[in-house]
């Protein structure tokens, strides 16, 4: 009788904690954004004429870096035929995330979660979803036993949500108001 070697199951169990914590982050941001009384004034817009242009340009920077993330991830997974150093992926992701922090802080602190205008509601919900998703992705990164599709799916979703955030904010601003700094 020959023993058959089976690989351990790569079920969804290792994703349970990262997804639950990401969900809690998303929920906490939404609840805070809704329950907190918005201040209505900007926080730290150094170098910009106002808060809205600051948010628009920082989000655009994060959007461009997210494109670098997709291209470098495709390179890491061998989909481009070109090798991009892994540091490019790590640092573009770090910088993109850092650019989103003042934007999110201002949105939550000065504006709160708004639901009066469909575009703004979509933007508010996408923002909460982005940080919950990003949390889940970062917590899933070092986990052993996660399914092979985990990082491509969570990374792809993060990119898609960031594109949605950019479309409902920066793209809207550029087309409705213009290119202001």
């Amino acid at each position: 009788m020959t023993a058959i070697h089976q690989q351990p199951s790569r079920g969804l169990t290792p994703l349970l904690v990262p997804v639950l914590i990401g969900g809690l982050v998303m929920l906490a941001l939404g609840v805070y954004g809704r329950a907190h009384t918005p201040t209505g004034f900007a926080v730290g817009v150094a170098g910009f004429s106002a808060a809205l242009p600051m948010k628009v340009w920082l989000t655009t920077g994060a959007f461009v870096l997210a494109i670098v993330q997709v291209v470098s991830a495709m390179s890491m997974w061998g989909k481009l035929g070109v090798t991009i150093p892994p540091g490019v992926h790590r640092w573009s992701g770090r910088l993109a995330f850092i650019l989103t922090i003042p934007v999110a802080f201002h949105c939550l602190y000065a504006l709160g979660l708004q639901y009066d205008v469909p575009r703004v509601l979509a933007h508010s919900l996408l923002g909460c979803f982005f940080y919950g998703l990003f949390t889940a992705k970062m917590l899933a990164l070092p986990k052993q036993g996660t399914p092979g599709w985990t990082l491509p799916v969570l990374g792809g979703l993060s990119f898609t949500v960031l594109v949605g955030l950019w479309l409902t904010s920066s793209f809207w601003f550029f087309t409705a108001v213009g290119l202001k700094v």
Side-chain angles (χ1 to χ4, degrees):
M1 185 181 245
T2 308
I4 298 174
H5 177 70
Q6 290 184 332
Q7 292 197 349
S9 171
R10 297 184 87 185
L12 298 177
T13 306
L15 290 177
L16 188 59
V17 170
V19 168
L20 284 175
I21 293 173
L24 288 173
V25 166
M26 178 177 54
L27 185 63
L29 289 172
V31 167
Y32 176 79
R34 191 66 200 126
H36 165 72
T37 303
T39 62
F41 60 92
V43 178
V45 295
F48 294 95
S49 60
L52 202 50
M54 175 216 39
K55 290 169 38 178
V56 162
W57 286 107
L58 291 179
T59 302
T60 298
F63 173 68
V64 169
L65 288 166
I67 293 170
V68 172
Q69 281 276 285
V70 170
V71 171
S72 60
M74 289 173 65
S75 170
M76 288 182 346
W77 291 91
K79 303 293 183 192
L80 291 182
V82 177
T83 303
I84 296 175
V88 171
H89 187 76
R90 268 186 236 112
W91 280 101
S92 62
R94 289 172 181 157
L95 291 172
F97 182 76
I98 288 169
L99 290 178
T100 69
I101 293 172
V103 175
F105 179 77
H106 180 270
C107 287
L108 284 170
Y109 184 74
L111 305 173
L113 193 141
Q114 298 180 12
Y115 56 88
D116 300 351
V117 178
R119 177 192 62 81
V120 178
L121 172 62
H123 183 75
S124 295
L125 296 175
L126 285 169
C128 295
F129 187 58
F130 173 77
Y131 279 98
L133 191 58
F134 183 82
T135 300
K137 180 183 177 221
M138 291 300 105
L139 292 175
L141 265 174
K143 284 228 174 254
Q144 295 295 321
T146 56
W149 52 261
T150 302
L151 293 179
V153 167
L154 293 179
L157 281 171
S158 296
F159 175 75
T160 303
V161 171
L162 190 59
V163 169
L165 284 165
W166 183 81
L167 288 171
T168 57
S169 61
S170 300
F171 180 76
W172 171 84
F173 184 85
F174 293 145
T175 56
V177 178
L179 298 174
K180 292 188 177 187
V181 180

